[in-house]
Structures are given as structure tokens and as C-alpha cells.
Amino acid sequence: MTDIAVRTLQILDRLGVGDPFEPGGELVSRSPIDGSELGRLRPHSPAEAAEVIGRAHAAFEQWRVVPAPVRGQFVRELGGLLREHKDDLGALVSIEAGKIVSEGLGEVQEMIDICDLALGLSRQLHGLTIATERPGHRMMEQWHPLGVVGVISAFNFPVAVWSWNAALAFVCGDAVVWKPSEKTVLTALACQALATEAARRAGVPEGLSAVLVGDRAVGEVLVDDPRVQLVSATGSTRMGKEVAPRVAARLGRSLLELGGNNAAIIAPSADLDLAVRGIVFSAVGTAGQRCTSLRRIIVHESIKDDLVARLTAAYETLSIGSPLEASTLVGPLIDQPAFEAFGAAVAQAEADGGKLVTGGEQVDVEGGGFYVRPAIVDMPAQTDVVKAETFAPVLYVLTYRDFTDALTLHNDVAQGLSSAIFTLDVREAELFMSVVGSDCGIANVNIGTSGAEIGGAFGGEKETGGGRESGSDAWRSYMRRSTNTINYSTELPLAQGVEFG
């Protein structure tokens, strides 16, 4: 057993997770750091998955009548446990997903932050009082718990995405059944262990939070079960196009957070020192495996050479290696298919006339794993490979002369998640954020495309799916609305002046 595997067992023990090597375990968990086997788990059968959903539904029927501020105490307990175990859970994220230490810890901090937000929200799930045309009447809206929420998450944010959904769903009065990526099951089991302890302390109904271990077959049970009122799915656009019709076929709700092909416009007035820092983190953070990773920069021709030279110099200083080393800035790709997709994208870009400026090669790291040097490719045009999302650190450089052309180039992709502009021109900044500017769900000025805070709703348009999670009014996705009219008069006037009788 490798040192990483031993450390994983120790962390899991402290987090309250049982032995990850189960008898008959078919689902193998491996670390992308060196390929170490971390556990062998027995997947749920479709029948077992249905039973888990049934228990969640029964728990929901009890939980929905608990006052929302009382429900908030469950999330408060969960947030406290996350604070207590932040270092261990962050390390487990690094081990299982390959994130560098600060990103692993940052993801757990994001969980803590959303628990804080949800706790406050538990006292603010307010409706509206609406003016009515009928005398002696009052009209209002109320929000009620929705039901069982199914969460399907991807490997790249193995814990934060669950918490965005779960923290809000719990205070909204819902139960949560989580189907994590097969690549990051141990982090999910660790979160569930903490949720179970928080539930015990808060006196929560058993089964309110659950994890399903398995592959596509288990996910299909979650998607197709009519007791699951909302399916919140994070992953590829291809996956979303399969999930959405199946949920719609039973008239359920879906919340989709899918692919991104994020760009930053670099204007002539840009502070290039600031731009370089924002670009590099957005492009190479998590080894380019974020849905908000920067894939394209659209730079004005007058500053292109200067910017590319600065980026090249920055890229050549990047430390690549084990994410458990404090000095590392770029860790491994998640697996071999990701490595092959990286190589194929660089090769296709060159075949399309692109010039490889820096990077693009595999990096040998002691112990194994799929490590690469992040690539910058200068492209003559926005070809098909540029328009496709490659989940790896490939940054394409495109050039513009007129700002209107830059906006057209920016929006000429199927995805619409995150975007940025670096400019000191207030007109360009305002235009970028206007209705004729970026068509993305997130539009930033003088910061990169990744690293969103939980206070704002997170999500995108077009093939990104249109969903919104985390802050702002995203909580409404997890509740149902009831419009109520109360007649306290002795008359029965009808709306719109209708006479009947």
C-alpha cells in the first residue's frame, strides 16, 4: 500500500468513514496523483437505489413540517463539522481529485460559506403580499418545500457542488440523494459521514441525506424516479442533453450546470500585470479542469505580442507535480482519457494552423500520474477545436481589431458559462456587461473567469444549461410556489369584472 493510500485510510477514519475496501467491491477509487488504489466499493443496485430514494421521501414528509429556522440548525451543525475537519477533507479532495492543497482547502471553505448563507436564509424564505383589485381581499405568495432533490456531481468539484445544493435544499425543507462521480466517491462518503453526524446532533429524520455509489445505471434511477422532484446535474453538455429530456418526460424539474468555453477579452487599455495574473490562474487552476476554466483569450492586435510574451514567461515558471506539495501550482489530469484529450486538442489546433507557443507536452513526475505542461496556442481563427470544450489546460489566443468583432468572437460558441474583460475603459466594461455584450451567466471585469463567490447565483446560458445554484435567489429552485387569495369580506367579487349570477 502506497503512502498516499495509507494517508487516505487515516483521513477517512478521522472523518468517520468505514473501511473503503468492501468485500466484493467493484468500483475502484484511484488517486490521479500516482494511480494509488484508495478503495474498492460495492455499487448500489438499481433496486437498492430506489430504496434509498424511498427512505429520503419518507424523511422529507417529516422534515417539511419542521420550521425553517429549526431546519437551519442542521446546516449550522454541518458547517461546524466542516470547520473542524477542514484540513482532512481538503486533503482528501487533493488526493482523490488531484487539486493543489490551497484549492482543496478552498473547496471546503466554499462548503462552510454556503452553510453560513443557508443558515441565514432559513429565516428569510419569504414570499410576497400582492395588490389585489378586489376589495376585502388579500393576495400573497408562499414558498413550500419541494421534495427529494437528486444531485449528480462531477469529479472536478467533488464536495462543493453537493454543498451548494444540499445546504439550500435542507433549509428549504427537502431531502437530498447524491450520486457523485465514480472518480471521487470517497470524498462523497466523507461528506455523508459528516452530514450523518450533523443530523444526529440536530435530530434530523433518518435518510434525509444519502449517497448512491455506482455508475450510469444508478444515476438513471435517480433521474427517472418520480419521487425525485428536482434533479440538479453538473457535468458535460452531452450528459445534460440526456438527463433533461428524461426528467422532462415525467414533468420533473432539472437544474443543469454543464460545459463552459470561457473567454476573456483583453483590451488595449488593460492593466497587463493584472490581466496576466487573472488569466494564468483561470487557465491552469485545477489543471484546466474547471467548468469556469479560461479556454480562450481575445486580445487586441496592438498588445498581443506583449501579452503573449508575458503569459509565456509566466507559464514557464509554473511548478508542476504532486498537488500535496505546497509549492505545486499545477497538479495532474484526472485520468488517461483526459490526458489523451489534451494531446488531441493541441494536435488538432496545430493542424488547423495554430502555433504552439509553449507547453503541450507530458511531464514526468515521480510516482506516475498524468501530468502535462499547460499549453498556449496562437490561433488564426476560431476553429471547431477552439469552439469545443477540452477539459484540460489548453489556452487559445485569438486576435481582434474592433471591439464589436471581439464581442462577436466571444459569443460565437455553444456554451455560455463564464466570461471576463480586462479594460480600463468604462464604456467597454459597461458594454461587455450589457444585453449586447457577453451572453454568459457570469460576466466579470478585471478579474478572471473562475473563482466565483457563493453569494451570487452560479450558472450559465445556452448549452451550459440555464441552471443557477448557490446564492442570490437560487433557493427558489428547491421550493414550490403557492399563490393564495383570502376573502375577508362578505361579498364575492370576481376578478376582471366578471359577472356570474
Side-chain angles (χ1 to χ4, degrees), residues 16-42:
V17 180
D19 186 353
F21 290 91
E22 298 177 345
E26 302 171 6
L27 197 160
V28 179
S29 171
R30 294 188 184 277
S31 173
I33 297 174
D34 62 358
S36 294
E37 188 173 302
L38 306 177
R40 286 181 174 266
L41 303 169
R42 190 184 68 81

Side-chain angles (χ1 to χ4, degrees), residues 121-136:
L121 180 65
S122 69
R123 294 183 180 271
Q124 300 181 69
L125 298 172
H126 50 75
L128 296 172
T129 298
I130 304 167
T132 171
E133 66 190 62
R134 289 172 282 187

